[in-house]
Amino acid sequence: MSASGQPVIILKEGSGESRGREAQRNNITAAKLIAEVVRTSLGPRGMDKMLVDSMGDVTITNDGATMLKELDIQHPAAKMMVEISKATDNEVGDGTTSAVVVAGALLERAEDLIGKDVHPVVIVDGYSRAAEKAQKILEEVAEKVDPESRPDLLKIANTSMLTKLVNEDAPHLAGIVVDAVLLVAEKGADGFKADIENVKVEKKPGGALTDTQMVRGIILDKEVVHSGMPKHADDAKIALVNSALEIEKTEFSAEIRINDPAQMQQFMDEESSILRAMVDKVKSAGATVLICQKGIDDLAQHFMAKAGILAVRRVKESDMTKLAKATGARIVTNLDDLTAKDLGYAKLVEERKLEDDKWVFVEGCKNPKAVTVLVRGGTQRVVDEAERALHDALMVTKDVVEMPAVVAGGGAPEAEVAFQLRAWAQKLTGREQLAALKFADAIESIPLTLAENAGMDPIDTQVDLRARHGKEGKWFGVDAMNGKVADMYAKSVWEPLAVKLQILRGATEAASMILRIDDVIAASKMKAPPTPPGGGMGGMGGMPPMG
Ligand SMILES: Nc1ncnc2c1ncn2[C@@H]1O[C@H](COP(=O)(O)OP(=O)(O)OP(=O)(O)O)[C@@H](O)[C@H]1O
Ligand SMILES: [Mg+2]
């Protein structure tokens, strides 16, 4: 109300608002629901989700980030949970389910504290200090590894893939992943850098997952441009050109009057000799293969076929860059500049038939800095999920190559962090101690969820884990495959330290962000989000408008 008693309108009519406790409760409930949805898919015994989009397309996956991406989530707090899974995916590639599960657990414990009249700001501070301490503990307990050790990297790639649909073929796929990452990794002043953009993943349904292979070079989803060209070039000398082998058309229209057939012939001869000169340049540089980012004129194709050159046209720019990295060629814009020095090398360039398509394989490159993984599998769904699993495995391998420290899986590091945090919390007082203890409980939700998903008794597991940490060893965790508590490091279930750090950071950030909100003001179109109905996924799609 203004001084004159007139109401002051600041929000558009129809806008909704929810405040204070109510806003907090709504947000926490919505975020916890998201965690509920993904938690049953955590770990090697986790279940898969079948997602059907509005077009009726079906995705079957176990990957947290993928699940949440496919869901049409509207609640703003729930969206924040989706964002941490995305951020985790971008940063480290794995652990997207864990990040959401931990964030949900942090919020659940925060709810207890709010119920005991602890102010959210105090909880956020307490969580933030506990998270810092937890990161330090993780860094201390982590084991150093050699970033170039193939057997060690295999354990990491394997662990990440064991939790996916493709787990039976995990050892085969893990080998491919590690070889690919080691090939593209480059040593710098401060350790290795591995850009997995340089691992091209191509997929083609058909065959079996075990037919998946790595090619030391690039596979192009293109065919050889002219039927008269060779389909096969051994010890290929490859020219990469990013301009067209065509006569440039003028931008403006011009009219040329020809009154004599001889003039016409001369005109055409002129064109043909320009094209011939272009092909001659490719030939005299010594190229046996030409890969062009743009078009190639029919006549130029004909000349090249006659010269025995294998050519591919309209190749994507990103593939050109990878071809340069794989073959050592330099991409040339002006054909006049092309010399023997610019050519790349591949043991074999060959057009091959894959199911119904023809693809060109550029393989057997020397020390390639870009490679291709060709994913095969029974159906489109299998190759799609295999591609997602490969992505996670490539990322965790890269994580360890770049930050060579690992922890055990099976919730062992989480159990150790919880144990050490509880000891540390003894030195704190009052509400801060309460928050730190709740933080420890929340972290412990990872081993407990793994146990639950493996059909083990969560309470027994918790008692067993707590009894062993601090005494028997730091790597005791949930051996989900055998349904008991065991030393997971000894079982070669290894994970990157980088992933665990990111999970902690992401989950704490999301939980704090949600806890700090005490006012939700939504424009008329969205309306303030109501409390989602408890349990089940039903509350998430299309929130009913309020009021
Ligand atoms: N053999 C195993 N026994 C017990 N736990 C395992 C085993 N292998 C992996 N895990 C655990 O499973 C958890 C990972 O599960 P999962 O891969 O389903 O989720 P995520 O990595 O958090 O997310 P996402 O892979 O979907 O991005 C980790 O805590 C890991 O230690
Ligand atoms: Mg995983």
Side-chain angles (χ1 to χ4, degrees):
M1 293 272 188
S2 69
S4 63
Q6 287 285 319
V8 181
I9 297 171
I10 46 172
L11 295 175
K12 244 207 285 201
E13 197 183 343
S15 300
E17 186 182 5
S18 72
R19 274 172 181 271
R21 279 278 172 96
E22 183 199 331
Q24 246 152 22
R25 210 173 33 237
N26 289 352
N27 286 337
I28 292 176
T29 312
K32 270 175 27 193
L33 256 178
I34 298 292
E36 263 326 292
V37 171
V38 298
R39 74 192 292 269
T40 55
S41 74
L42 184 78
R45 308 298 297 272
M47 308 294 273
D48 304 321
K49 306 280 172 188
M50 182 188 258
L51 307 162
V52 187
D53 70 9
S54 52
M55 305 295 290
D57 284 341
V58 176
T59 308
I60 298 177
T61 187
N62 183 296
D63 192 73
T66 309
M67 276 177 234
L68 295 177
K69 205 161 55 198
E70 299 282 330
L71 290 177
D72 184 15
I73 289 168
Q74 295 201 356
H75 194 287
K79 275 190 180 160
M80 287 159 93
M81 299 286 271
V82 178
E83 271 152 31
I84 49 163
S85 86
K86 269 194 210 148
T88 307
D89 199 28
N90 291 339
E91 289 284 326
V92 292
D94 197 12
T96 62
T97 310
S98 305
V100 173
V101 169
V102 173
L106 285 171
L107 287 169
E108 195 171 337
R109 306 302 188 287
E111 233 178 359
D112 295 349
L113 292 176
I114 293 173
K116 288 184 192 142
D117 269 340
V118 182
H119 194 278
V121 166
V122 177
I123 306 176
V124 168
D125 284 350
Y127 275 6
S128 140
R129 281 197 61 190
E132 236 169 74
K133 179 70 189 169
Q135 303 220 12
K136 284 214 190 78
I137 298 171
L138 277 177
E139 279 161 7
E140 277 163 26
V141 296
E143 313 272 358
K144 299 268 168 298
V145 291
D146 170 5
E148 285 177 289
S149 154
R150 194 170 184 278
D152 286 355
L153 294 177
L154 272 178
K155 292 177 188 163
I156 291 137
N158 210 27
T159 299
S160 112
M161 229 142 18
L162 273 179
T163 63
K164 296 283 179 277
L165 227 64
V166 295
N167 53 11
E168 276 178 30
D169 298 295
H172 173 68
L173 299 177
I176 289 174
V177 163
V178 171
D179 288 343
V181 174
L182 284 176
L183 277 171
V184 303
E186 292 188 69
K187 194 165 188 165
D190 45 354
F192 283 89
K193 270 259 152 259
D195 184 356
I196 65 154
E197 283 288 300
N198 292 326
V199 181
K200 186 181 181 198
V201 179
E202 281 285 359
K203 48 186 181 178
K204 187 85 200 160
L209 273 171
T210 42
D211 297 328
T212 299
Q213 50 163 318
M214 186 193 67
V215 167
R216 295 171 70 98
I218 302 299
I219 301 176
L220 300 169
D221 179 7
K222 296 275 172 201
E223 47 187 289
V224 171
V225 73
H226 189 279
S227 59
M229 287 177 178
K231 297 285 187 295
H232 177 115
D234 283 310
D235 288 318
K237 299 228 171 62
I238 304 163
L240 300 180
V241 177
N242 66 1
S243 58
L245 271 76
E246 286 166 346
I247 309 268
E248 251 180 78
K249 305 279 183 298
T250 46
E251 296 267 321
F252 47 89
S253 52
E255 193 178 319
I256 303 169
R257 284 179 195 273
I258 295 172
N259 0 358
D260 170 357
Q263 232 178 333
M264 178 71 191
Q265 190 57 45
Q266 194 191 353
F267 203 74
M268 283 167 55
D269 287 351
E270 182 71 16
E271 276 207 6
S272 130
S273 71
I274 294 175
L275 290 168
R276 185 185 292 276
M278 286 180 174
V279 173
D280 281 345
K281 272 172 203 139
V282 176
K283 206 164 95 182
S284 63
T288 55
V289 171
L290 171 81
I291 297 177
C292 183
Q293 193 182 326
K294 302 276 169 59
I296 303 177
D297 188 280
D298 289 352
L299 203 53
Q301 293 176 20
H302 168 76
F303 291 141
M304 275 192 280
K306 273 176 101 184
I309 296 172
L310 183 164
V312 183
R313 68 172 166 181
R314 302 202 192 287
V315 170
K316 276 190 300 201
E317 189 178 355
S318 58
D319 281 344
M320 294 296 283
T321 319
K322 288 187 189 114
L323 278 163
K325 287 187 173 150
T327 65
R330 188 177 75 91
I331 301 175
V332 171
T333 305
N334 187 345
L335 270 180
D336 291 332
D337 298 341
L338 185 70
T339 66
K341 276 213 316 284
D342 301 318
L343 302 180
Y345 172 85
K347 181 110 195 53
L348 176 65
V349 175
E350 189 178 47
E351 181 186 273
R352 277 181 216 153
K353 204 154 181 235
L354 265 182
E355 307 300 321
D356 291 332
D357 297 323
K358 288 177 186 157
W359 284 10
V360 171
F361 285 63
V362 178
E363 63 185 26
C365 299
K366 286 181 193 150
N367 190 21
K369 285 295 160 206
V371 298
T372 309
V373 177
L374 176 59
V375 185
R376 305 304 309 276
T379 65
Q380 187 69 42
R381 278 192 242 303
V382 172
V383 290
D384 285 347
E385 180 69 357
E387 184 192 23
R388 287 189 284 270
L390 280 169
H391 163 80
D392 284 23
L394 284 166
M395 285 292 282
V396 291
T397 310
K398 163 212 153 91
D399 291 338
V400 174
V401 166
E402 292 186 351
M403 187 204 266
V406 300
V407 294
E414 287 86 353
E416 179 66 19
V417 165
F419 164 75
Q420 290 201 30
L421 269 185
R422 288 192 184 105
W424 169 77
Q426 298 313 315
K427 286 183 257 157
L428 305 176
T429 50
R431 304 191 159 180
E432 213 172 355
Q433 185 183 54
L434 278 183
L437 290 173
K438 289 289 182 192
F439 191 93
D441 291 347
I443 296 296
E444 217 177 21
S445 67
I446 292 290
L448 298 189
T449 305
L450 286 170
E452 230 171 284
N453 288 349
M456 294 159 66
D457 185 284
I459 307 288
D460 290 351
T461 309
Q462 185 176 37
V463 172
D464 199 353
L465 276 176
R466 285 190 182 180
R468 294 189 200 240
H469 279 265
K471 287 193 216 72
E472 285 179 55
K474 57 186 176 181
W475 296 137
F476 276 91
V478 174
D479 178 3
M481 306 314 269
N482 299 308
K484 51 180 204 270
V485 168
D487 182 332
M488 297 309 282
Y489 197 81
K491 290 211 170 248
S492 300
V493 177
W494 292 11
E495 291 188 290
L497 170 65
V499 171
K500 295 290 160 180
L501 292 176
Q502 169 65 30
I503 292 170
L504 265 183
R505 223 175 339 198
T508 314
E509 228 167 69
S512 307
M513 221 160 25
I514 291 170
L515 285 173
R516 275 210 199 93
I517 300 168
D518 76 340
D519 203 349
V520 177
I521 307 168
S524 52
K525 213 170 93 227
M526 288 284 301
K527 303 278 170 75
T531 314
M537 288 175 51
M540 271 179 326
M543 293 289 169
M546 196 180 76

